[in-house]
Amino acid sequence: MNSILKLKLLLFISLISCASIAQQVTFSGTIRDANTGEELIGATVFVQETSEGASSNTYGFYSLSVKPGEYTIKADYLGYAAQQIKVSLLKDKLLNIELKPETTSIDEINIVGTKSDRDVSSTDVGMERMQMAEVNKLPVLFGERDVFKSMQLLPGISSAGEGGSGINVRGGATDQNLILLDEAPVYSASHLLGFFSVFNSDALKDMTVYKGGIPAQYGGRASSVFDIQMKNGNTKEIKGSGGIGLISSRLTLEGPIAEDKVSFIVSGRRTYADIFAPLATDAEDTKLYFYDLNAKLRFKFSDKDQLFLSGYFGSDKFGFEDMGMDWGNATGTARWNHIYNPKLFSNTSFIYSNYAYNFKVNSESFNDLRMTSGIVDYNLKQDFTWYPNPNNTLKFGFNAIHHSFAPGELISDGESTNNIKVDSRKGIETGFYISNKQNINARLNASYGLRFSSFSTIGEFTDRDYDDEGNIIDERVYEKGDVASTYWNVEPRLALTYLLTSNTSLKASYNYNTQYMHLLANSTTEQPTDYWVPVTPNVKPLKVHQYSGGLFHNTENGVWEMSTEVYYKSLNDLVDFKNGAEVILNENYEAELVNGKGYSKGIEFLVRKNKGLFTGWFSYTLSQTMNQFDEINNGEWFSARHDKTHDFSIVGAYQLSKRTSLSATFVYNTGIAVTLPYGVYEVDGKVLPLYSDRNGGRMPDYHRMDVSLNVDGKKRKRFQSSWNFSIYNLYGRENAYSISYRESESKPGSLEAVQYALFKFVPSVTYNFTF
């Protein structure tokens, strides 16, 4: 075949393709709640005549192309009444859809979540989504609903420990989670040292967690993504909700400022343990509380343009008389949605995030002593979604983040203490991505993409090289604006779904993630005093390869869903401290760091019942997470601190009557790995512990049962109320918060272990209301 013939053939094929595209029309729009005007995430639109479908994005937008003709369109969302619409599609059409919440009788109670077969047919691997209605009746600490805590009842996601402020996903450390609130990073997601999360459920609409198969639009963390969306505010009428509990109260107001044009939501929460703490202790001026505030404005300029302004501010206060500490997050997001045409959707965001920690002492020995640390981000983000045809959804965009790191500073007005400041650093992190979701044929779907990321450390600081003993062997001084180091990586992502039957599928995924920041811990438990540092010429970025796959099955009637997933992660350039390292306010902290590698592997099981008087789920994870550093444990592999061999949860809810429901949860996991003493030695008459290898021991296994009774008040036209009675840790298990060692009084010269527990059992009563 000569070149001219080839050219003609290619031109002919191109013309056919163009003609085929020209014969299609596109209908698109936004799917909303008919009562509140709130956009619905993940709602489905299905064309009955062609069996083609699409789902709405984070902003409720969908787009679907078909040949011109008469069609029956079905819109569906679990927990809402399905709607059928007959339309004549002869040209591109705007089709906004409103769905009404579905009322169910007592003999058919549903868990509200995503579409019942979505976990089977979608290319989302290792993804969990939870809506607020699913959280409402689960028993939690002090009666406070908490979607972040509820997620820890699912496989592969576990708490960093009672009293620890963190969460571990598939063997990842707490700093390997990208936690987003309306796209803004949240660097500390816990209140009261981990017993509450910073996320007030009354202000939230949806939470999606990616444990594996992370889409290309997310970057910057190695292990997981928690994408949390705030409500946009009721566009129909003024509504309110709140709760009054034994330890905290909350109030949310939302409604239209201009109907269907401008809406708002404001949600606040505060604990008042500080009011009662002086009654239980002799200390005066006791501080032990947190507060947070969520706010959002939505401006709808037209069917093609919307502007969202949202913010969060929260803080913890803890202290006694002349000493105390506080920490908290502040975020702000401005987002502009624009529909260029029925197939092209755009979101432009400017994002601010600030995390700060402060410790203060004012006494005779220390005059106004203050220690601070924190991180501040400014982020510009542009995302496009293009729907070229029913079989492809293309996403592409970029983001650029300016980081300011303040690892620590000690300031004192007294003469007895020298001021110390760890050099601040700045960094520019960029990411460019492109990805596609493709329906290859009736059985095979794929999601694939690339992310190009880079990080440049800049600023005014001194960089040093050290020998094996920690001595400085070289020193480089960087002036303001100098670039100390630049790293870049190409991060591929791939996920495949193969339908064995209409209710059963096999899935597999691979993703490569790079993390350019590290969280350095001041103690063996995750605390607010931990601080973030960027990569430098001496501190490399963390690189993770994750492989995962699974079998997913739903029963025909949607009552039961079951899944089994396996995963394997390899981690390179892990960062940890040497044994005996000086951590707090160390100007030469890089000399105390070592690089290593690790792996995490596991298998996850989930069985969930979605309908009937009794609903709930069972989850179980069998896993292993190991690390290896040449300078630790003689180079031998050892358990990561968050390694938990067994982790399972049982969640159940039973509808006793139309207005009364009973729920319970039971959790069990293997104790975390810790470094324990194996002997003693004596110095100046004092018996001191001699410690084993790093993480050579285990804390006692953790288990707990919580129960909750929810009683709804009589339904009224404008006002509804309910009572929640909960008991946290029903049978009073004294789970270990910490273990310390002291010289035994009965056997001088030997040590005895002393275990400390935070709670036995905690009853709570909360009055909830909406109006």
Side-chain angles (χ1 to χ4, degrees), residues 644-679:
K644 297 177 182 178
T645 308
H646 304 285
D647 188 351
F648 74 82
S649 304
I650 302 174
V651 178
Y654 186 74
Q655 197 73 25
L656 297 172
S657 67
K658 189 174 183 179
R659 291 167 47 193
T660 307
S661 62
L662 179 68
S663 61
T665 62
F666 175 78
V667 296
Y668 169 89
N669 56 66
T670 303
I672 58 175
V674 291
T675 305
L676 298 175
Y678 67 91

Side-chain angles (χ1 to χ4, degrees), residues 18-169:
C18 292
S20 175
I21 294 173
Q23 289 176 359
Q24 288 190 329
V25 295
T26 301
F27 67 99
S28 61
T30 303
I31 305 175
R32 294 187 173 92
D33 184 306
N35 293 343
T36 66
E38 194 74 39
E39 288 82 358
L40 300 179
I41 302 172
T44 59
V45 176
F46 181 76
V47 182
Q48 291 189 349
E49 287 80 3
T50 65
S51 297
E52 294 173 337
S55 59
S56 58
N57 67 8
T58 302
Y59 303 95
F61 179 79
Y62 76 93
S63 177
L64 192 60
S65 297
V66 294
K67 293 180 180 179
E70 304 287 332
Y71 294 100
T72 302
I73 309 299
K74 182 180 179 181
D76 196 9
Y77 193 60
L78 197 60
Y80 287 73
Q83 184 179 151
Q84 286 191 349
I85 307 168
K86 291 188 177 295
V87 294
S88 176
L89 296 174
L90 302 178
K91 60 180 181 179
D92 291 349
K93 185 179 183 66
L94 177 67
L95 186 61
N96 293 325
I97 301 172
E98 292 190 342
L99 299 179
K100 293 183 178 180
E102 188 174 32
T103 57
T104 56
S105 61
I106 185 63
D107 58 345
E108 186 65 15
I109 306 298
N110 296 338
I111 286 183
V112 178
T114 53
K115 188 175 183 288
S116 59
D117 65 348
R118 189 177 188 278
D119 59 322
V120 170
S121 58
S122 77
T123 54
D124 297 318
V125 185
M127 188 272 279
E128 303 285 355
R129 173 173 288 160
M130 188 171 287
Q131 295 172 321
M132 299 312 107
E134 196 171 354
V135 180
N136 288 348
K137 296 180 180 179
L138 296 181
V140 289
L141 181 62
F142 301 128
E144 188 76 24
R145 295 180 300 166
D146 196 324
V147 65
F148 206 65
K149 291 292 185 183
S150 299
M151 273 291 185
Q152 297 171 26
L153 299 171
L154 295 172
I157 306 173
S158 64
S159 167
E162 190 152 285
S165 58
I167 194 169
N168 303 117
V169 178

Side-chain angles (χ1 to χ4, degrees), residues 531-662:
Y531 56 95
W532 291 88
V533 296
V535 292
T536 68
N538 297 317
V539 181
K540 310 300 182 185
L542 172 63
K543 304 179 185 70
V544 174
H545 298 267
Q546 181 177 175
Y547 309 85
S548 60
L551 176 66
F552 297 78
H553 176 73
N554 291 342
T555 57
E556 291 284 349
N557 54 10
V559 174
W560 292 91
E561 63 180 73
M562 291 151 277
S563 64
T564 300
E565 292 188 67
V566 296
Y567 66 88
Y568 179 83
K569 285 181 182 179
S570 65
L571 301 94
N572 297 295
D573 290 315
L574 281 170
V575 172
D576 206 341
F577 281 109
K578 298 176 181 177
N579 292 328
E582 295 181 14
V583 179
I584 299 177
L585 293 172
N586 185 348
E587 297 172 276
N588 300 319
Y589 68 85
E590 288 187 26
E592 308 289 354
L593 299 177
V594 292
N595 286 94
K597 59 185 178 181
Y599 70 82
S600 182
K601 59 184 179 181
I603 182 169
E604 302 169 354
F605 300 93
L606 177 66
V607 178
R608 186 197 298 261
K609 186 174 186 290
N610 293 320
K611 298 180 181 180
L613 293 177
F614 177 78
T615 56
W617 67 84
F618 166 81
S619 73
Y620 172 66
T621 305
L622 175 66
S623 63
Q624 183 184 52
T625 303
M626 303 290 287
N627 294 337
Q628 189 270 328
F629 296 83
D630 291 340
E631 297 85 351
I632 299 175
N633 291 2
N634 298 316
E636 299 292 329
W637 286 88
F638 63 93
S639 296
R641 186 178 186 278
H642 46 274
D643 174 52
K644 297 177 182 178
T645 308
H646 304 285
D647 188 351
F648 74 82
S649 304
I650 302 174
V651 178
Y654 186 74
Q655 197 73 25
L656 297 172
S657 67
K658 189 174 183 179
R659 291 167 47 193
T660 307
S661 62
L662 179 68

Side-chain angles (χ1 to χ4, degrees), residues 176-180 208-211 214-215 218-219 221 223-227:
Q176 296 173 21
N177 306 310
L178 178 62
I179 302 173
L180 302 173
T208 303
V209 180
Y210 296 94
K211 303 180 293 183
I214 299 173
Y218 300 106
R221 297 296 185 278
S223 185
S224 71
V225 177
F226 289 74
D227 193 350

